[in-house]
Amino acid sequence: MLIRKVFLIQGIVQGVGFRPFIYRLSLENSLVGFVKNGINGVELEVEGRAENIVLFEKQLHSKLPLLARIDKIESSYKELLHGKTFEIVQSSDDFTHSKTALISPDIATCDECLEDIKKVGKYHNYFATNCTNCGPRYSIIKTVPYDRKNTSMQKFTMCKSCEEEYTNPLNRRYHAQPISCNNCGPSLRLIVKNEELKVSDGEKFAKVAELIKDGEIVAIKGVGGFHIVCDATNDKVVSKLRTHKNRPTKPFAIMCKNLEQIKSFSHVDEKEEELLISKEAPIVVLKKNKDAKLSKLLAPNIDRIGCFLPYTSLHHLLFEHLQNPIVATSANLGNEPVITKVEDIVKKLSFIDFVLDFDRNIINGVDDSLVQVVNGKTQVLRLARGYAPKVIKLPFKSDKKILAVGANAKNSLAFVIEDSIILSPHVGDLDSLEAFEFFEQTIESFKSFYDFEPEVIVHDKHPSYMTTQWAKKQTKELIAVGHHLAHIYACKAEFGLTNDYLGFSFDGTGYGEDKTLWGGEVFVGDKRKYHFKPIKLLGADKAIKEPRRVGLSMLFDALSLEEVQELDLETVKSFSHVELKILHQSHTKNLNAPLSSSVGRLFDGIASLSGIVQKISYEGESGLLCESYYDEKIKKTFDYTIIEGIIDIKIVDYMLKNQNDTKELNSMFINTLVKIILDISKLEEMEVIFSGGVFQNKTLLALVSKKLESENIKYYHQQQTAINDGGIALGQAFYYLNKTVL
């Protein structure tokens, strides 16, 4: 029996070789009809024997292309048209309905394209070689459907050879929108001290490699922005880069020639290797070997190193001339988005004399993704290139378009369209005009992608957040969600959880429901039931950069000024007598000393009291340093009490009665957090959720996971979305949906 069937397929099905896949599948099953990109997904009609169409539907899933993902298929029957062929037709320009076709993230260069670069031919040594299975996507697109005319490749006219590949459904470059070659594509240029060097592309790579070997700093354009690059084994140049970027100790990521090189100076387990060589090619945080032949200034004082592999043809061609790994850090000034234009390199980074650029415009800037592995599970620290835009499918449809604007730090955005929450790539900290402009630009980009105009805007309760202030200027329905509850709901969104859970929401800071600063909250359902004893932050915001102020506040909670002055502690000795008196007055009279229940601040306090660090230069530094001093042989914990829901760890009491060893104090603190989580979990007898930036502490999360597993307590923590403030927008959106749709 002959039948004709109509399909609408939704998911990541545009720009990933899906239409030629359908074309081949139809020919294999002797079907006629057509397939095209539509504004809501891929539209197709097939006609043929009923049993062949049944097989075709099964193969849609079993033979799916590597980059494609099917989320939903709608189908119906139609009258026979008695066609003779199967065709791939032009994309639909019917914009009468909302656009919902998903945009694919940028993908690392595939092995087949890397082979093409080595062969004699039009792709030989071509820096922008790509195909349907790899290359730029999000970074070059203006709107959907994903066609060349809607990307920054529009200005490049294909040569005859590329056009033949582009129009051949059996070629892997069929409708690969960034397709180009040495004869027709973007061109590479090397700028040396503001003048373009007129040499061949091969010589440009050799010259850049020579500059790096000679200890120079170079800006190199990548998929979503420029990297600042230098030799990762050269202390002198890394020190110079730190000075220029005003980045005293924050770790630099390094790009390595190959997996073997990464394994030569770090431990790589099976899951970490899988991530390193994946199509997303993120930066993976690894355990550094003690004898690693790298600059000691890459990640000072910690035993971790962020590594990633070349993910563009350009990077691979450069490494043909390099043996050493390179620092590859985002080209920007502090708290500004990654630079995407060469003009801004010249304007903002005057210390850069050498720039490797090309003339394919970056429409949407996107940073490198950052991940780590905890107990064999991926943990996302920054959701960006390769992973975002990220789609969370809902088991229901929202009848409203919703925008969640996230937090001020590690900002990202969430857009709810029908049955999808679409997460933007990492936007960043909104502490500068440029960063806030990037925030607004990202909103406008997604509006353009989907003809999206929000009916509801969900924001944080913090009145001083730039995101909150922006939201309140919009003439839309506004919903405020508590910061720490949003953390819990972010995890619920990832796993599709709708019931009540025991939620541990630990981070550095956030606006609390009682107008104090929270960060050590334990929820039963949506109700805060436990929290850590608040600490007075002496000097308010200054205390976030100076752990010694937190440590001193903890001492003042237990001792008089005179008793504190007599202590032989680095915390105390870092202040003058006059400063101690002023800060004691601040503590006793509550002057510029807001309360904080933050576990992140407790990490600051223990880092100071144990003598590790008194001032820090980047968020989370105290936690990383504490973790580096953890000794698994130490099993002791501090005493603690829970009275009327307030958790009080007796750190100072212990220190006053015992000889204080740095490793012991930091190990005991992490052990105590694990014990508190376990004790409360056993008491409440509920499934558990962890979220918030503190759970980026790999040691803490690994220990508590194993303890809960040993007690058969089920737990969840984010794996595909950011566990830190990068997940706040997701949580805000899912909270609203839970309260209005479910």
Side-chain angles (χ1 to χ4, degrees), residues 9 84 105 138 161 194 275 381 383 417 426 559 652 698:
I9 303 179
K84 300 297 182 187
Y138 169 77
S161 174
N194 296 322
L275 288 166
L381 309 178
L383 189 78
I417 306 173
H426 169 83
L559 303 168
V652 173
K698 187 171 178 176

Side-chain angles (χ1 to χ4, degrees), residues 84-120:
K84 300 297 182 187
T85 61
F86 191 91
E87 297 178 345
I88 298 176
V89 301
Q90 282 295 102
S91 299
S92 170
D93 286 324
D94 175 14
F95 295 103
T96 56
H97 300 92
S98 64
K99 302 178 189 177
T100 56
L102 303 179
I103 294 168
S104 172
D106 303 289
I107 298 298
T109 307
C110 69
D111 290 341
E112 287 176 292
C113 281
L114 292 179
E115 285 300 315
D116 287 344
I117 293 168
K118 297 173 187 175
K119 297 174 187 172
V120 174

Side-chain angles (χ1 to χ4, degrees), residues 365-367 381-384 388 410-412 424-429 438 726:
V366 58
D367 227 318
L381 309 178
R382 183 167 67 218
L383 189 78
K410 298 179 174 63
N411 180 266
S412 67
S424 78
H426 169 83
V427 174
D429 296 347
F438 185 50

Side-chain angles (χ1 to χ4, degrees), residues 36 50 58 110 116 119 146 150 184 240 269 296 299 315 336 379 463 526 575 605 644 671 724:
K36 67 178 181 178
K58 288 180 180 177
C110 69
D116 287 344
K119 297 174 187 172
Y146 178 63
N150 294 329
C184 64
K240 182 180 173 184
D269 67 22
K296 291 182 171 52
H315 295 132
E336 290 189 10
Q379 184 185 63
D526 290 354
F575 295 103
E644 295 183 351
N671 290 342
N724 52 39

Side-chain angles (χ1 to χ4, degrees), residues 431-450:
D431 294 332
S432 67
L433 177 61
E434 291 82 359
F436 190 71
E437 286 174 349
F438 185 50
F439 162 82
E440 292 185 305
Q441 178 189 322
T442 304
I443 292 175
E444 292 305 314
S445 291
F446 277 81
K447 281 185 176 183
S448 175
F449 294 160
Y450 299 111

Side-chain angles (χ1 to χ4, degrees), residues 33-147:
F34 69 85
V35 61
K36 67 178 181 178
N37 279 344
I39 58 175
N40 297 312
V42 166
E43 302 166 15
L44 68 121
E45 294 185 16
V46 290
E47 182 175 311
R49 294 173 65 86
E51 58 267 32
N52 288 6
I53 291 180
V54 169
L55 182 59
F56 170 86
E57 291 184 74
K58 288 180 180 177
Q59 291 173 336
L60 279 175
H61 297 280
S62 64
K63 294 185 175 182
L64 198 65
L66 178 67
L67 302 185
R69 190 187 82 199
I70 294 175
D71 292 327
K72 185 179 181 183
I73 299 179
E74 295 177 4
S75 65
S76 59
Y77 292 96
K78 187 176 179 178
E79 288 183 14
L80 293 171
L81 297 180
H82 301 290
K84 300 297 182 187
T85 61
F86 191 91
E87 297 178 345
I88 298 176
V89 301
Q90 282 295 102
S91 299
S92 170
D93 286 324
D94 175 14
F95 295 103
T96 56
H97 300 92
S98 64
K99 302 178 189 177
T100 56
L102 303 179
I103 294 168
S104 172
D106 303 289
I107 298 298
T109 307
C110 69
D111 290 341
E112 287 176 292
C113 281
L114 292 179
E115 285 300 315
D116 287 344
I117 293 168
K118 297 173 187 175
K119 297 174 187 172
V120 174
K122 65 177 185 174
Y123 296 116
H124 181 64
N125 285 342
Y126 180 52
F127 75 94
T129 303
N130 67 86
C131 71
T132 310
N133 299 320
C134 67
R137 301 286 198 282
Y138 169 77
S139 61
I140 63 170
I141 192 171
K142 299 171 186 174
T143 189
V144 296
Y146 178 63
D147 286 335

